[in-house]
Amino acid sequence: MEQALKSGVWRAVGLSPASCGRWWWGLRYRSTREQRLPPFAPPAAGGDEAGPARGGDGGRQLPPPAVPEASRAVTHSRTSHEGLAPQRQPRPWHKSYERGARPAAPGSRELWSSGEGDSSKARKRQEQKPLLIERTKGSEILFGIAPCSLALSQSRRDVFNLFLKESSGPRRLVMSEFVLQAVARGVPVHHVKGRELDALCRGRVHQGVCLEVTPLRFKSLEEAEKPDLGDEENPKQQLIWLVLEQIQDPMNLGALLRSAYFLGVDRVVTSQRNSCPLTPTVSKASSGAVEVLDVYSTDDIQSFLKAKTAEGWEVVGTVTKPEGVENVPVISCLEFRWSKPVIIVIGNEGDGLSLETQLLCHRMLAIPPGRALHPGIESLNVSVATGIFLHSICSQKLRHSD
């Protein structure tokens, strides 16, 4: 068997048995030595070691003859069970060597992993891609259950699309009511995922409902028809108007409108310049009150107050500290009594009422604190303070009407 194997190798490399005796024994010695190497051990530096000198060469050791690459492939190969062509075995110290496994083509595993990662990223991007619906030019996204429900029922806005979160939880009945309202008005309904609603309203609290609508505008005092508020010429008629001078924060404006609607204010007027518009955030902060309460605006509050004073109205300003302002008396809101139409003027969050507006007020109201206050926290939020003022004044109107 061994002689036949040697003859096959000699014929493959084109050498004669006489000239390759020493090379054969060196090759056999090296092969058996490699089998005794520890697993994953790198080859010794300096190349392969030669076997002991043999034959009558006077002890001189001859270098092994160069072996063609085809010969190495035959020597270090194995034959598959299917009888296919021999396959080259990887060295035991190669980093990709696996016992009993067929070596993969160079870079194939890296390419497969890269392709799998790309497809996974593509799937994630596709799943995170928001719903693409063509928006109507000039429209805005209203969000929240109360604002959207009132906007659908009051019909003060044009409605283009209704977006509802896909849900089967406790709000399923509420969502069904939205669908009925939308169908009654011929509004398309879209059931979308929560992240798509987040994208529509830019991460605000939507409560699972968004509505594409036209913006809500202020009404002009000069162009609006006179509302049915009773006989305004009667000096005994108790009317309460709320005037807002340069309220800029949408959350404050929404809270102010909610308190005004709840406590019975007859009309709200705001300044056009340096004031917050009626945005969806204002509607959400007002819990939808802005959808049912008319809000007027004027570009000249001072002229408006002068005209109402000439009609017999009392103009009442508000201050933080109970101090006189240019000979205008300041009293506690708890002491204020009134018997004719009154206008309550609320100033800016930071600066309060302007000096020009203060000089047009008949009296100034202040909220007495319940303790000695530390510097820096000597005032209330403008919406909270307005709620206290309105409650102390509107409660008198309720008592007089009984």
Side-chain angles (χ1 to χ4, degrees):
M1 181 67 181
E2 182 177 350
Q3 184 64 29
L5 180 59
K6 288 194 293 183
S7 300
V9 173
W10 293 333
R11 284 194 298 270
V13 299
L15 298 176
S16 62
S19 60
C20 295
R22 183 177 291 105
W23 171 81
W24 168 256
W25 286 107
L27 181 61
R28 183 179 181 185
Y29 173 78
R30 183 179 61 182
S31 177
T32 56
R33 183 180 180 277
E34 286 180 356
Q35 293 178 4
R36 293 194 300 268
L37 286 175
F40 301 98
D48 297 327
E49 296 181 0
R54 297 179 184 272
D57 54 2
R60 183 170 56 87
Q61 183 175 352
L62 296 177
V67 182
E69 186 66 26
S71 171
R72 294 198 187 100
V74 173
T75 306
H76 302 285
S77 64
R78 63 182 176 88
T79 303
S80 63
H81 296 288
E82 294 82 0
L84 301 178
Q87 300 176 355
R88 188 172 182 178
Q89 292 183 349
R91 296 290 187 182
W93 51 82
H94 196 276
K95 62 180 180 180
S96 63
Y97 174 77
E98 296 181 6
R99 180 180 298 274
R102 182 176 297 178
S108 62
R109 182 173 302 175
E110 290 77 9
L111 291 176
W112 181 83
S113 300
S114 176
E116 183 185 29
D118 293 342
S119 62
S120 178
K121 291 179 180 178
R123 284 197 304 271
K124 290 182 179 179
R125 284 195 299 268
Q126 186 176 3
E127 292 176 357
Q128 295 175 359
K129 189 176 182 180
L131 178 69
L132 295 179
I133 292 181
E134 185 177 356
R135 289 272 302 273
T136 305
K137 185 177 180 180
S139 67
E140 64 184 14
I141 298 298
L142 197 65
F143 54 92
I145 292 178
C148 293
S149 177
L150 290 171
L152 280 171
S153 63
Q154 295 299 312
S155 301
R156 299 175 64 187
R157 303 176 185 253
D158 292 334
V159 183
F160 305 110
N161 288 290
L162 172 64
F163 303 93
L164 299 177
K165 181 180 178 181
E166 297 175 350
S167 175
S168 59
R171 291 182 178 175
R172 187 173 183 177
L173 180 59
V174 176
M175 301 307 171
S176 300
E177 294 176 358
F178 271 105
V179 173
L180 293 177
Q181 286 181 305
V183 170
R185 292 192 57 180
V187 177
V189 180
H190 307 274
H191 296 273
V192 299
K193 297 184 181 298
R195 62 172 176 272
E196 294 171 344
L197 290 180
D198 295 338
L200 281 174
C201 64
R202 298 181 180 180
R204 298 179 178 91
V205 181
H206 50 70
Q207 298 176 298
V209 183
C210 286
L211 203 63
E212 184 186 3
V213 294
T214 54
L216 198 61
R217 308 293 184 185
F218 292 113
K219 290 190 174 182
S220 173
L221 284 174
E222 291 77 13
E223 298 177 359
E225 296 181 359
K226 187 175 180 179
D228 186 13
L229 298 175
D231 186 6
E232 294 188 12
E233 302 300 329
N234 185 359
K236 294 184 179 180
Q237 179 70 30
Q238 285 190 307
L239 298 175
I240 303 174
W241 285 16
L242 179 65
V243 174
L244 307 176
E245 186 179 32
Q246 299 184 4
I247 299 297
Q248 299 176 348
D249 186 88
M251 300 298 293
N252 284 336
L253 180 58
L256 283 167
L257 297 178
R258 184 174 183 176
S259 298
Y261 176 78
F262 182 85
L263 294 172
V265 172
D266 298 299
R267 182 181 290 184
V268 179
V269 181
T270 182
S271 59
Q272 286 184 354
R273 291 177 296 179
N274 299 325
S275 294
C276 177
L278 299 178
T279 63
T281 302
V282 173
S283 183
K284 182 66 168 64
S286 71
S287 193
V290 71
E291 305 296 329
V292 298
L293 179 66
D294 290 331
V295 183
Y296 298 83
S297 68
T298 178
D299 57 356
D300 191 350
I301 284 185
Q302 285 77 30
S303 297
F304 167 72
L305 294 179
K306 290 177 182 179
K308 301 308 290 183
T309 299
E311 295 176 5
W313 288 61
E314 182 176 8
V315 179
V316 179
T318 55
V319 293
T320 302
K321 298 178 181 180
E323 299 174 356
V325 180
E326 296 291 335
N327 298 323
V328 180
V330 179
I331 62 174
S332 168
C333 63
L334 302 177
E335 301 173 359
F336 177 73
R337 299 291 181 270
W338 58 290
S339 57
K340 59 181 180 179
V342 61
I343 293 177
I344 305 172
V345 189
I346 305 296
N348 175 267
E349 292 96 337
D351 301 327
L353 292 176
S354 63
L355 181 59
E356 295 82 0
T357 302
Q358 291 182 23
L359 295 176
L360 296 175
C361 296
H362 301 108
R363 286 183 283 182
M364 304 291 288
L365 301 183
I367 301 175
R371 56 153 53 94
L373 303 176
H374 288 279
I377 50 174
E378 299 172 328
S379 63
L380 293 170
N381 174 270
V382 63
S383 63
V384 175
T386 302
I388 296 174
F389 287 129
L390 292 178
H391 181 265
S392 63
I393 297 173
C394 293
S395 59
Q396 298 180 40
K397 176 182 177 180
L398 295 175
R399 287 197 298 268
H400 292 169
S401 61
D402 291 342

